Every structure is written in structure tokens, then in C-alpha cells.
Amino acid sequence: MTSGNLAFAEAMRQINPDVVAAYPITPSTEIPVRFAEYVANGEVDTEYVAVESEHSAISACVGASVSGARVMTASSANGVALMHEIFPIAAAFRAPIVFGLVNRSLGAPINIHCDHSDSMPERDSGWVQIYCEDAQEVYDSVLLATRLAEHTDVLTPVFVCQDGFITSHCYEPVEFLGDEAVQKFVGTREMHYPLLDVDNPVSYGSFVMSEYYYEIKRNQIEGMNNVPRVYDELADELATLTGRTYPKLEQYRCDDAEFVIVVMSSATGVVKDVVDDLRRRDVKAGCLRVRMFRPFPTADLCSALRGKRGVAVLDRSASIGGTAPLASEVKSALYDLDERPKIQEYIFGLGGRDFFPKDAEAVFERMQNDDYERRARFIGLLESCETTEGGK
């Protein structure tokens, strides 16, 4: 039995990265703290860099990564926000950092509990984003992310996200691989153009005018475009080793479903239970979990939702003044279908608000009753805060 945070730290121990630079913040604190114990006890060879801020932590990670080191770190919430300046730089440098992002609400007001308002602002920073449902998936995803980030066709940093306090702190059974099996799976990093190769000097962080900037961005896009293919190959390899499969998009009883809830992370279990209950009542319900948010699995999603009568997209974050992130991606992905299903956007769970089976059941009931609105609906408010369009 272990938690998502400790499962992440155990994977780090087994991988034995060259450098970890971190500045702990709730609820990701246990990851660097436990890993620091491994360093102090001599269980790893890692250079642990204790810095004065999250901005310094990610800056140190970038410097170590482009120098040829295998690098990992973790953070949450306002710490992630403080790192924002450096995230696009890490991606542009093609620095394959593996980052444990333990999702927490982004203040103000100050709140230490889960929503996805810290990771969603980084969706265009050029990082791969993987969202985990449970602690077992966190552990396996760290191994997978290390290979994915360092693959020569990808060379892109990866966020491994888990829900703060829900996944990060709750204990559940986790099956660990042996140290040798992990080392064999992740292998050693093959560095291209390291900063410290003095015989073949390179430059990072140069000032670039318009003559070349555009091409550099295009190169990044190609790396991200290669992620789905490489991910599928590595996920198959990991499945052979563990017997556990992690598709980019998990379909639960979707094949013949008429009504589908699209959701991410730990809330998926609640939806699956409701789907099972509704199936016993002859309601053709299904659940579609988006595991990989960046790059977004557009083709897989279109295939899964084609022909459905209704789709409800549940976002654990809001885009104030716009469409919530997951709903925006789903609507965009389905736009080119000849016959699009009706879609309802929902926002839920902000600041750690509980999500209950009755909430998911109410969503399915609205779809069955053909009850849709153009604006977002809110799940689990203490009192009615619904407003008309225009905010009146």
C-alpha cells in the first residue's frame, strides 16, 4: 500500500536520475522530501539541488538537462505558476525533463486542494501532459514518461499529473517492478548536443531573429507530433513487462454507448461506477477518460464519440471568459464530424469540491432528457450561482 506521491518518489529512486532540483510545495511536498531521504541514505547517486524558489528549481533542471543529465522534479499550484517563464524554454531547448505535477487549485483565494487550474495554463507551453487516475498509474507513468521524453524523435519534457490529496495522499495497492527491471526498461539517456561537450561546442538560449525563430518552433511541433506514435510503442513495451495497459484515451463501456461522459484523472472512478449502475438499468452509458491531454488524441476521440447521442465534458478547471480546457478540445476535435453529438460543458470540483455518484447520474439523466445548454453548467455548488448569458 502506498500513495501517489510515494509511488512517484519510488519510481524516481529506481530510475536514479542524475539531477533533481526542487522547492517543495503542498501537495507535492512528499515527492522531493522522500527522494531527499533516498539521497541522504545513499540509495541513489543523484545530485539533489536545494534551491530558493520554484523558478530556480526549474531553471536548474533545464541547465542540467541540456548539459546531458537525466533530470526530474515536482511541484504544484502557485509553484507551477512561478515556473511558467521557464516551461516554454525547457520545451524549446528539447530538454526531456520528467515533472511530477500534483494538481492543486491556483490562488487566490488560497486553497491547497485539487483542481486542474495549475496544469491547464501550461497546455501551450510545449510539454506533454499525462493525467493519472490512481497511484499505480502514477508509478507506471513515471517509467513511461522517462522513455518518452528522451526518445530521439520526441525530446520533449513531460508532466505526469495526479490529483492533489485524492491520488497523491490516499493509500492503495501498488505493484512495483524490481530495480533491475526498471533500469532495463528506462535504459540510459543518449544525449545529443550536450552543453558540456567542449570538443563540439553548442549554444543554448541564443537571441534569434525572425529568419530562424519560426523554423525552431516548427521543429518543436514535429517533436510533439511524434509523441502519439512513440507513446503507443512504449506503452505496448511497458504492458508486456507489467500486464498493465495505458492507452492515450481510455474507453469504458463506450462501444455501444449512447451517452458518454468525458473526464480526466481521479474522478473517472466515480463515473465508471455510475456507468455500471446505469447499465444494470438498461441505460447505454459510457465513460471516456482522457489520459493524454497534450498532444490531444483527436483522431482517437473522434472514433470513440462518433455516432453518440450525447456527450458531457467534465472539466476540473475553468477558462474564465471562455470554454473550459477539456470541453474546448473535445468540441474542436469533433467539429469536422458529419454528424456531431450534442455536447454539454460542465465545470466541477474546483478547490477540491467533492464529486459524488449522484452528480454523475444527474449528468446522464440530463443527456437522456435531451437537456443541453450552450453555456457551461456547474456541478455541486452550495447554492444556485447559475447566471444568464452576459452575467446578469
Side-chain angles (χ1 to χ4, degrees):
M1 299 285 287
T2 193
S3 68
N5 274 349
L6 298 184
F8 195 105
E10 175 64 9
M12 291 174 68
R13 181 194 67 78
Q14 293 180 307
I15 293 168
N16 193 13
D18 300 306
V19 174
V20 170
Y23 187 88
I25 181 173
T26 302
S28 63
T29 300
E30 285 181 312
I31 296 175
V33 167
R34 174 57 64 90
F35 191 76
E37 293 176 0
Y38 294 144
V39 175
N41 294 336
E43 297 179 61
V44 292
D45 302 321
T46 307
E47 182 70 27
Y48 187 93
V49 185
V51 292
E52 72 277 9
S53 74
E54 290 89 352
H55 189 281
S56 297
I58 191 63
S59 297
C61 286
V62 171
S65 183
V66 299
S67 298
R70 174 173 280 167
V71 180
M72 306 178 79
T73 189
S75 192
S76 301
N78 296 59
V80 173
L82 186 56
M83 295 174 168
H84 172 74
E85 178 188 13
I86 308 302
F87 287 143
I89 297 172
F93 284 1
R94 312 300 292 275
I97 299 164
V98 175
F99 191 115
L101 202 163
V102 183
N103 287 118
R104 169 188 149 184
S105 62
L106 195 61
I110 297 172
N111 179 293
I112 62 170
H113 295 284
C114 174
D115 61 40
H116 297 165
S117 58
D118 51 0
S119 58
M120 285 302 169
E122 306 307 330
R123 60 188 181 271
D124 294 327
S125 292
W127 288 54
V128 176
Q129 291 196 6
I130 294 172
Y131 288 79
C132 302
E133 182 179 355
D134 53 36
Q136 181 69 69
E137 188 173 347
V138 171
Y139 171 78
D140 291 334
S141 294
V142 179
L143 311 185
L144 187 55
T146 301
R147 288 280 303 279
L148 179 65
E150 295 177 1
H151 195 283
T152 54
D153 291 344
V154 175
L155 288 177
T156 299
V158 179
F159 290 126
V160 176
C161 303
Q162 59 175 307
D163 283 351
F165 290 108
I166 302 170
T167 308
S168 66
H169 284 65
C170 291
Y171 276 63
E172 56 186 313
V174 174
E175 181 180 330
F176 296 114
L177 296 172
D179 291 358
E180 290 185 5
V182 170
Q183 284 291 321
K184 183 178 180 180
F185 179 78
V186 299
T188 57
R189 182 184 176 190
E190 181 183 352
M191 179 61 190
H192 298 275
Y193 312 112
L195 189 63
L196 296 183
D197 183 358
V198 295
D199 294 326
N200 299 282
V202 295
S203 177
Y204 285 87
S206 303
F207 177 76
V208 177
M209 291 290 285
S210 56
E211 288 83 358
Y212 296 104
Y213 181 90
Y214 195 179
E215 283 69 28
I216 292 171
K217 294 293 122 178
R218 179 69 175 86
N219 184 270
Q220 275 185 259
I221 292 170
E222 278 306 299
M224 188 66 81
N225 287 344
N226 288 333
V227 168
R229 170 183 57 81
V230 174
Y231 176 87
D232 287 343
E233 294 170 359
L234 296 175
D236 287 345
E237 185 178 337
L238 184 64
T240 300
L241 183 63
T242 66
R244 295 181 288 272
T245 58
Y246 297 106
K248 301 183 292 296
L249 200 67
E250 180 193 3
Q251 299 187 46
Y252 186 76
R253 307 190 78 164
C254 281
D255 286 347
D256 65 339
E258 295 180 345
F259 308 102
V260 176
I261 286 180
V262 181
V263 69
M264 297 168 65
S265 299
S266 63
T268 307
V270 175
V271 179
K272 288 177 178 177
D273 286 345
V274 171
V275 166
D276 289 341
D277 183 55
L278 290 175
R279 286 283 178 161
R280 287 189 286 269
R281 291 183 262 161
D282 296 323
V283 177
K284 291 186 176 181
C287 176
L288 189 65
R289 177 170 72 101
V290 177
R291 167 173 159 78
M292 179 176 284
F293 185 76
R294 278 292 182 272
F296 194 76
T298 297
D300 293 345
L301 186 126
C302 287
S303 177
L305 296 181
R306 187 184 304 274
K308 306 306 180 189
R309 288 177 58 187
V311 174
V313 185
L314 276 54
D315 270 277
R316 204 161 198 153
S317 61
S319 179
I320 299 173
T323 303
L326 182 57
S328 177
E329 294 292 339
V330 171
K331 290 179 179 180
S332 176
L334 298 181
Y335 181 79
D336 287 332
L337 290 183
D338 294 334
E339 295 184 13
R340 294 189 295 274
K342 292 183 178 180
I343 302 174
Q344 178 64 60
E345 173 189 350
Y346 285 90
I347 295 171
F348 80 102
L350 301 188
R353 180 66 54 86
D354 286 328
F355 178 66
F356 297 103
K358 64 180 178 65
D359 299 320
E361 188 167 347
V363 171
F364 279 116
E365 184 176 356
R366 287 197 183 103
M367 285 193 282
Q368 289 176 268
N369 293 332
D370 201 31
D371 183 3
Y372 297 87
E373 294 184 0
R374 291 184 61 84
R375 59 180 180 150
R377 282 175 161 155
F378 301 87
I379 295 174
L381 290 173
L382 293 178
E383 59 186 55
S384 178
C385 293
E386 300 284 348
T387 62
T388 60
E389 291 191 61
K392 297 181 181 179

